[in-house]
Amino acid sequence: MSAAEPFLRSPLPERFCNLDRLLFAMEQRGLDGLVATGGLDVFWLSGLNGIAHKADEPRPYAVVLSRHAPQDAILIVADYYLGSVAQQPGWIRDVRSFRAVMLPLDLPPRHDDMDRFVPAGARAAPWIRRARDTYADGIGEACRRALTDLSLTRGRVAFDDLRFGHQLALEGLEVSDGYDALMYARAVKTGVELELLRRATRLNQRAIETTVRGWQRGMSWREFNRAYHRAVVDLGGFVRDPGAMVWGHPRGSDPAITLQTGLEDYEVTPGMHVLFDCHGTLDLYCWDGGKTWVVDGEPEGDARTAAKATVAAAEAVMAAMKPGVRISELQATGRAAYRKAAVSDADRAVI
């Protein structure tokens, strides 16, 4: 456990989203309100990290926000998520709930049905009392009430899921696409978000170091992948199927750059070059990247030249990263560093 202590889960700050930038984006686009139902958008806005939801199921949560009264934002959750809200309190004080799939269909609905999902320590909380008073039969009804209470039923409201906005069928409501406004706001991270990203990246580095130390002669590529996955999970992180090691490792004369499928297998032999390009999350904030490693050795010959050139190219690209610079210009900067280092066929470098 001592190795995992820096990454133990704990409640997040009540608000870590860039709310001011979102409100600015809404104002510039003439939006009166916003309804977010996507899992990552709801998490970013409210801190709710709901477990067990599958992407092809109806949305079990929403955030309804008025640009004119952001302090009165409303969080709507399926009743079985009320315990999750109690564990991770957020800045949104108006929490509402609706009757969802966990409740029996063979019995008539009751006003206190939601109480079976409320932990004993939260039953007297003011937000739970408000949730009881607004308990709805479904997410559509709950969202219509929220839009009405925030005086948004005749405004221009953006939805991160346009289909859901049209399904509400509110006469007078102008449904708009909320993707651009949300991505504009989420692109600039708050200080709390930056620390969450740093923390996730540190976990990835620790997992890579653990995996390299665990290499043994005769280990297969699949065993090596599983060793990385175990290291991530032991530290408290999460990786997705088919795995977190993203790029394949060409062998022999095949120069193709291929993504991992989970079906590759071969022996990880001394002298092999491995690129750790790893993906995963900690508290839903991503790590993306890693290290290069020569198994049981160091780069030699042309590989040594390429490794030194890559360091120079990376430093040049990072130094050139300024607001307004185009991606193509950054790539050209890195490619120029490769040419200066006399790397053969620098035009084939993927930057």
Side-chain angles (χ1 to χ4, degrees):
M1 289 299 295
S2 60
E5 282 177 3
F7 309 106
L8 289 177
R9 299 288 291 273
S10 60
L12 295 170
E14 285 196 351
R15 195 182 89 194
F16 48 87
C17 64
N18 198 336
L19 184 60
D20 290 340
R21 185 173 170 88
L22 177 60
L23 295 173
F24 173 79
M26 293 171 66
E27 180 183 11
Q28 293 298 302
R29 290 160 177 77
L31 299 173
D32 297 297
L34 175 77
V35 177
T37 58
L40 294 178
D41 291 334
V42 169
F43 167 71
W44 183 75
L45 282 165
S46 70
L48 174 68
N49 186 355
I51 195 170
H53 178 66
K54 293 172 262 314
D56 57 352
E57 294 177 337
R59 295 299 184 192
Y61 31 55
V63 172
V64 184
L65 175 74
S66 169
R67 174 170 64 87
H68 311 292
Q71 71 280 358
D72 296 329
I74 298 171
L75 170 63
I76 299 169
V77 298
D79 43 21
Y80 54 80
Y81 277 129
L82 287 167
S84 301
V85 177
Q87 289 290 325
Q88 171 58 64
W91 65 279
I92 300 177
R93 305 305 183 195
D94 191 344
V95 179
R96 306 185 181 187
S97 187
F98 61 91
R99 191 172 281 102
V101 298
M102 297 290 286
L103 290 173
L105 297 176
D106 58 327
L107 299 173
R110 294 166 50 96
H111 180 69
D112 60 353
D113 275 341
M114 61 169 267
D115 286 350
R116 69 184 69 194
F117 302 109
V118 179
R123 287 177 185 167
W127 68 271
I128 285 291
R129 292 198 295 271
R130 287 195 296 269
R132 284 195 192 95
D133 292 339
T134 56
Y135 194 35
D137 285 333
I139 191 170
E141 178 184 322
C143 280
R144 292 185 195 97
R145 288 183 188 173
L147 288 164
T148 300
D149 292 345
L150 292 176
S151 301
L152 292 174
T153 53
R154 295 194 174 276
R156 186 164 185 252
V157 178
F159 291 77
D160 63 353
D161 180 356
L162 275 174
R163 179 173 175 270
F164 180 71
H166 290 297
Q167 281 180 324
L168 293 179
L170 282 169
E171 186 177 353
L173 179 70
E174 183 182 350
V175 175
S176 181
D177 188 357
Y179 178 88
D180 185 58
L182 278 162
M183 292 305 102
Y184 173 85
R186 287 177 56 182
V188 175
K189 307 302 182 187
T190 62
V192 173
E193 289 185 283
L194 290 175
E195 182 50 39
L196 289 168
L197 287 167
R198 292 187 186 103
R199 186 166 173 259
T201 301
R202 287 195 296 268
L203 187 150
N204 180 41
Q205 179 169 339
R206 181 84 66 85
I208 290 172
E209 292 167 348
T210 300
T211 306
V212 168
R213 286 196 302 268
W215 172 81
Q216 298 177 4
R217 289 177 180 268
M219 180 178 278
S220 73
W221 178 246
R222 291 188 187 180
E223 291 171 335
F224 193 65
N225 269 258
R226 286 197 295 270
Y228 173 77
H229 296 169
R230 284 195 299 270
V232 166
V233 173
D234 287 346
L235 289 166
F238 178 79
V239 297
R240 294 185 60 184
D241 185 14
M245 300 276 279
V246 175
W247 287 106
H249 303 278
R251 306 183 74 230
S253 59
D254 186 355
I257 301 172
T258 57
L259 290 169
Q260 289 285 352
T261 65
L263 303 176
E264 300 83 1
D265 203 18
Y266 42 81
E267 184 179 348
V268 181
T269 55
M272 180 182 291
H273 289 235
V274 174
L275 167 64
F276 285 91
D277 187 344
C278 302
H279 292 194
T281 60
L282 175 62
D283 283 320
L284 275 188
Y285 277 80
C286 301
W287 65 80
D288 179 352
K291 308 289 184 183
T292 55
W293 175 51
V294 179
V295 180
D296 201 30
E298 298 290 340
E300 298 177 357
D302 289 342
R304 185 177 180 83
T305 300
K308 288 184 176 180
T310 299
V311 172
E315 290 176 344
V317 168
M318 286 190 289
M321 283 183 176
K322 308 293 183 185
V325 176
R326 293 183 175 275
I327 299 296
S328 58
E329 294 171 331
L330 294 174
Q331 291 174 327
T333 296
R335 205 171 307 283
Y338 276 116
R339 292 194 183 104
K340 184 177 180 180
V343 170
S344 61
D345 204 1
D347 286 352
R348 288 186 59 83
V350 177
I351 302 174

